[in-house]
């Protein structure tokens, strides 16, 4: 199963990039990161334009997980279980979507098989990439029975 992250904005050098790279480099197979951005869009059209760019980056037939503050807060074990289910039932492309500062449109959330959250707090979208990569790595270690994750 190929795992993609479609994220609004460009990850530059710094702490957020280091965090993402630290965990993403450990996930097998490698996560494919697709960054989308339209700097020319004005405030009124930004979310709509981001939704168009996100939609264009999603592979055909992909299972979609949207990260959104209104989503379900699930445990790491439940996350690992869902990944196993998708892998074992023939999901070829799994896409995680991280919106920009204005969040995701209803259109994007409605396309998602799962809308999930990393808690009730609002996190910087660049930091969420690292948090997601860590959860993907943690799920991999849970599947392997590795002690990285303890109950």
């Amino acid at each position: 199963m190929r795992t993609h992250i479609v994220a609004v904005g460009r990850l530059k050098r710094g702490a957020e990039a280091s965090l993402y790279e630290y965990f993403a480099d450990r996930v097998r197979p490698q996560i494919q990161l697709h960054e989308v951005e339209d700097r020319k869009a004005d405030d009124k059209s930004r979310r709509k334009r981001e939704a168009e760019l996100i939609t264009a980056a999603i592979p055909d037939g992909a299972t979609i997980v949207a990260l959104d503050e209104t989503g379900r807060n699930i445990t790491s074990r439940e996350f690992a279980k869902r990944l196993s289910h998708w892998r074992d039932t023939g999901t070829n492309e799994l896409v995680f979507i991280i919106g920009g500062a204005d969040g995701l449109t209803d259109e994007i959330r409605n396309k998602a098989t799962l809308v999930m959250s990393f808690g009730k707090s609002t996190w910087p979208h660049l930091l969420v990439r690292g948090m997601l990569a860590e959860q993907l790595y943690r799920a991999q270690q849970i599947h392997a029975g590795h002690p990285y994750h303890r109950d």
Side-chain angles (χ1 to χ4, degrees):
M1 177 172 70
R2 286 179 294 280
T3 303
H4 306 261
I5 297 174
V6 177
V8 173
R10 304 279 177 213
L11 192 58
K12 299 170 182 70
R13 298 225 179 269
E16 295 92 345
S18 295
L19 178 68
Y20 173 77
E21 291 166 7
Y22 180 82
F23 288 107
D25 287 348
R26 289 162 173 73
V27 176
R28 297 291 178 262
Q30 284 288 157
I31 300 166
Q32 296 178 30
L33 178 63
H34 310 271
E35 296 177 310
V36 299
E37 186 174 43
D38 186 353
R39 292 181 182 214
K40 295 179 183 178
D42 61 24
D43 288 345
K44 290 182 180 180
S45 64
R46 181 176 294 122
R47 271 187 359 140
K48 182 180 181 208
R49 182 64 184 135
E50 287 172 355
E52 292 168 352
L53 294 170
I54 289 167
T55 299
I58 298 171
D60 290 338
T63 296
I64 299 169
V65 178
L67 281 88
D68 188 88
E69 65 184 358
T70 65
R72 291 192 54 222
N73 190 11
I74 62 175
T75 67
S76 295
R77 284 233 179 253
E78 184 179 347
F79 183 70
K81 190 174 182 179
R82 284 177 181 263
L83 291 174
S84 293
H85 170 76
W86 289 321
R87 180 197 63 214
D88 295 346
T89 57
T91 297
N92 291 320
E93 309 284 348
L94 178 61
V95 177
F96 292 90
I97 299 173
I98 302 170
D102 299 321
L104 298 172
T105 62
D106 289 339
E107 173 191 5
I108 295 293
R109 282 191 295 272
N110 291 336
K111 288 181 181 186
T113 300
L114 172 65
V115 179
M116 65 178 272
S117 170
F118 284 138
K120 293 183 186 248
S121 298
T122 302
W123 297 98
H125 61 276
L126 294 176
L127 182 58
V128 170
R129 294 176 195 204
M131 295 165 65
L132 176 57
E134 191 281 336
Q135 285 298 293
L136 290 165
Y137 174 70
R138 182 176 297 273
Q140 174 182 285
Q141 299 309 93
I142 288 170
H143 294 148
H146 190 277
Y148 178 80
H149 180 82
R150 301 206 195 296
D151 286 323

